[in-house]
Amino acid sequence: MTDLRFAWLEITGKCQLSCTHCYADSGPRGTHGAMRTRDWSRAISQLAELGVQSVQFIGGEPTLHPDLPSLVDHTLDAGLSVEIFTNLVDIGPRLWDTFSRPGVRLATSYYSDTASQHDAVTRRRGSHARTQANIVEARTRDIPLRAGVIDVSSSTFIGQQRTRAARDELSRLGVSHVGSDRLRGVGRGAASSPSPDELCGRCGHGAVAISATGEVWPCVFARWISLGNILDTDLSVILSKVAAATPASGSSCWPQGGGSCAPNDPPRA
Ligand code: SF4
């Protein structure tokens, strides 16, 4: 693999929310997995040596990992840019300091301009108000932020989902890049076993994902395609398998994690 530029780092399976469509099947009972902080630091250093220019911390909710701030510091020190895909439900002062570091930007998901619809998707009352308040806080602090509105109406009974109104509201709140996405048939979003039809065919082309258990996948959505585990195999050896394992399909997407996979999202590298 010669064009590696981007990596998803899925540092936890734990989340305060239990979204109906979560491709990572995350929730309050999730764990930080087998990867220790020193394992993540080593992986980040290796990714930098292999040409990666940017990483996205995801989960689960990456802000629930106690060492996210130090991992972000390590990533920036390695010369990489950082995106943190967060639900923005509960952000304390230490995390705001991390978010405010040059080279860090945020991404989040949003489902409706009404609390009742948004909270029906996240399955936590009050999450809409918390996320909205922290979107405002991020903009007040001038932290780069993009948001994706995911159409989950095919799997969740919330009436006519107000996706257009949600996008309009995000724009009014000052979010400069508002994307949209469809539900992915992976994890809790899958009606049956995951299918390669859910993938775009570009998995592994310039990108790789590492899970909280150390598994390496060609994309965060291609979770059933394990290329190896960095806890027992060198990452460079694993990456040599990426191109050969990449499935092909006719659709296109630009996976960015957190359920957002919008074609008009910005490039990963
Ligand atoms: S979609 Fe994101 S916010 Fe929702 S349960 Fe999954 S990890 Fe948590």
Side-chain angles (χ1 to χ4, degrees):
M1 189 176 191
T2 57
D3 61 345
L4 185 63
R5 291 288 181 273
F6 174 86
W8 292 274
L9 305 180
E10 192 174 293
I11 59 173
T12 184
K14 194 173 186 65
C15 187
Q16 311 97 325
L17 309 182
S18 306
C19 300
T20 54
H21 63 292
C22 181
Y23 73 84
D25 211 3
S26 296
R29 293 185 179 173
T31 74
H32 302 323
M35 288 281 284
R36 305 275 78 88
T37 298
R38 65 175 178 275
D39 299 319
W40 283 117
S41 295
R42 188 174 66 248
I44 290 164
S45 297
Q46 282 186 295
L47 289 167
E49 289 167 11
L50 292 165
V52 165
Q53 297 176 352
S54 61
V55 304
Q56 184 187 78
F57 288 95
I58 53 169
E61 171 54 29
T63 63
L64 292 180
H65 194 293
D67 292 327
L68 176 66
S70 62
L71 289 173
V72 169
D73 289 348
H74 182 78
T75 307
L76 294 173
D77 290 347
L80 311 185
S81 63
V82 168
E83 183 171 79
I84 301 170
F85 209 113
T86 167
N87 57 33
L88 289 174
V89 163
D90 189 12
I91 308 299
R94 184 170 174 234
L95 284 168
W96 283 121
D97 288 346
T98 293
F99 291 177
S100 299
R101 291 204 58 185
V104 175
R105 62 179 192 164
L106 304 178
T108 195
S109 296
Y110 208 66
Y111 304 103
S112 177
D113 64 325
T114 70
S116 59
Q117 283 197 341
H118 183 97
D119 293 356
V121 176
T122 65
R123 294 193 283 198
R124 180 167 169 185
R125 188 176 297 177
S127 63
H128 181 264
R130 284 167 167 255
T131 297
Q132 189 183 75
N134 283 323
I135 287 173
V136 172
E137 182 68 24
R139 297 311 304 131
T140 301
R141 293 173 182 257
D142 215 17
I143 299 169
L145 167 67
R146 67 182 180 88
V149 176
I150 306 168
D151 184 345
V152 298
S153 53
S154 63
S155 76
T156 308
F157 181 72
I158 56 173
Q160 184 71 38
Q161 187 179 353
R162 293 170 56 85
T163 51
R164 169 68 69 87
R167 285 195 295 273
D168 290 346
E169 182 173 67
L170 288 165
S171 297
R172 278 197 306 276
L173 292 173
V175 180
S176 57
H177 186 87
V178 180
S180 56
D181 193 18
R182 62 179 174 84
L183 179 138
R184 301 283 161 171
V186 180
R188 284 199 292 273
S192 57
S193 300
S195 160
D197 291 343
E198 293 299 324
L199 307 177
C200 72
R202 293 209 308 266
C203 300
H205 290 228
V208 70
I210 303 175
S211 81
T213 60
E215 294 295 322
V216 179
W217 305 313
C219 171
V220 279
F221 292 121
R223 323 175 60 79
W224 66 96
I225 304 173
S226 177
L227 305 171
N229 191 304
I230 63 169
L231 292 175
D232 58 36
T233 306
D234 190 79
L235 183 59
S236 60
V237 174
I238 295 173
L239 292 181
S240 66
K241 304 176 188 175
V242 171
T246 300
S249 77
S251 60
S252 76
C253 70
W254 198 257
Q256 292 284 320
S260 174
C261 189
N264 57 351
D265 274 347
R268 292 176 288 199

